[in-house]
Amino acid sequence: MIDLLLNSPPIKTVYNLAQDFSVDAFLVGGAVRDLQINASLGTDLDFLVTGNAKPIAQQFAETYKGSSFCLDKKRSCYRAITSHDGHLETADFVSLMEKNLAHNLMSRDFTINSIGLRLADIFEKKELTYIDPAQGLKDLRDNRIRVTTPTSLELDPVRILRAIRFARKYHFTLDASTAALIYKFKEKILKSPWERIRNEFFLILSQHDISESLSDLERHGILTLLIP
């Protein structure tokens, strides 16, 4: 696993940029999750930086002849879009809130997406030191989808669809408390932006076992909300 990270050009580039800007950078989210599940990094990378994320995102995009833009000015969140072998790849950069990594990780949707790796440890110590305040590594070992906090789904109900998608995609089971929260907050999905609902629903439909995914949505009382 360490070799996959050391030999990843985009991750090496972010580490070098962090050195140039004298900040710390952390790989978080789906890439760390997929590294554990199937020893891959995917094409969508998420980074937290202890300084201003904007110039790093801009420089990263320029390095790969791509483009960058602001996703959320309040959170200082920027996205770089690049192309590799005809496929679009994204890298998101977020400034660390009050330089509190654990707080930021605990604000994410599910425990399996709330694990971080410090790039300096990877490239300078040649070791993987996981930062895991929500015990996401244990949930990965137990094949379980669990919300990071009890308010996770209420704050962003579209995460309910993500929970169903992740459970089917990775053949994981929903934690009992998470399933209860899905039932409690499912109707709040309809108050979310329809483009986000559409995107998640289409991702669910794009999986191989569509009928089982639809059955999952129906079992949790979600399908009839989306398609009355």
Side-chain angles (χ1 to χ4, degrees):
M1 263 187 273
I2 186 71
D3 288 338
L4 182 63
L5 293 164
L6 289 170
N7 294 317
S8 167
I11 292 177
K12 176 67 172 178
T13 298
V14 174
Y15 168 70
N16 289 334
L17 288 172
Q19 296 294 103
D20 293 342
F21 285 96
S22 300
V23 299
D24 253 339
F26 302 85
L27 178 68
V28 299
V32 182
R33 176 197 68 222
D34 290 346
L35 190 67
Q36 296 295 313
I37 294 176
N38 51 32
S40 70
L41 291 172
T43 57
D44 300 323
L45 302 176
D46 292 286
F47 298 96
L48 295 175
V49 297
T50 55
N52 186 357
K54 182 178 181 178
I56 296 179
Q58 291 175 330
Q59 191 63 50
F60 179 89
E62 289 177 12
T63 300
Y64 293 97
K65 297 180 173 57
S67 60
S68 65
F69 57 93
C70 180
L71 282 176
D72 186 336
K73 189 172 182 179
K74 183 178 180 181
R75 292 176 55 235
S76 187
C77 178
Y78 296 85
R79 172 166 293 176
I81 298 181
T82 59
S83 178
H84 180 70
D85 291 336
H87 299 285
L88 291 180
E89 301 181 352
T90 66
D92 289 350
F93 299 84
V94 180
S95 296
L96 210 50
M97 295 182 295
E98 299 179 356
K99 296 187 178 182
N100 189 328
L101 179 61
H103 180 272
N104 192 291
L105 292 174
M106 290 297 293
S107 71
R108 301 176 76 84
D109 51 8
F110 307 108
T111 60
I112 62 171
N113 296 330
S114 303
I115 309 165
L117 284 168
R118 182 171 178 259
L119 298 194
D121 289 340
I122 296 170
F123 289 98
E124 296 170 17
K125 300 179 181 180
K126 304 296 188 296
E127 64 183 29
L128 300 179
T129 304
Y130 292 99
I131 304 154
D132 185 20
Q135 298 184 28
L137 288 172
K138 184 178 187 304
D139 286 332
L140 282 171
R141 290 192 296 270
D142 294 339
N143 298 335
R144 178 170 53 219
I145 303 294
R146 180 169 60 91
V147 291
T148 306
T149 64
T151 59
S152 176
L153 302 184
E154 183 179 14
L155 291 173
D156 185 358
V158 176
R159 289 171 171 174
I160 291 173
L161 298 178
R162 287 169 59 82
I164 301 296
R165 176 164 63 87
F166 285 146
R168 179 56 54 191
K169 178 179 180 180
Y170 297 115
H171 304 290
F172 282 15
T173 57
L174 293 171
D175 169 72
S177 61
T178 299
L181 290 170
I182 286 175
Y183 183 80
K184 180 178 181 180
F185 296 119
K186 61 182 180 180
E187 294 190 3
K188 289 184 178 292
I189 292 176
L190 300 181
K191 296 181 180 180
S192 302
W194 275 104
E195 61 271 17
R196 294 190 61 219
I197 296 173
R198 176 202 62 205
N199 290 345
E200 275 299 330
F201 187 55
F202 281 3
L203 285 172
I204 289 173
L205 294 181
S206 70
Q207 298 188 131
H208 295 298
D209 43 8
I210 297 176
S211 61
E212 294 183 22
S213 296
L214 292 175
S215 295
D216 290 342
L217 291 173
E218 176 63 22
R219 184 166 56 254
H220 291 283
I222 299 168
L223 188 60
T224 51
L225 288 175
L226 302 179
I227 307 176

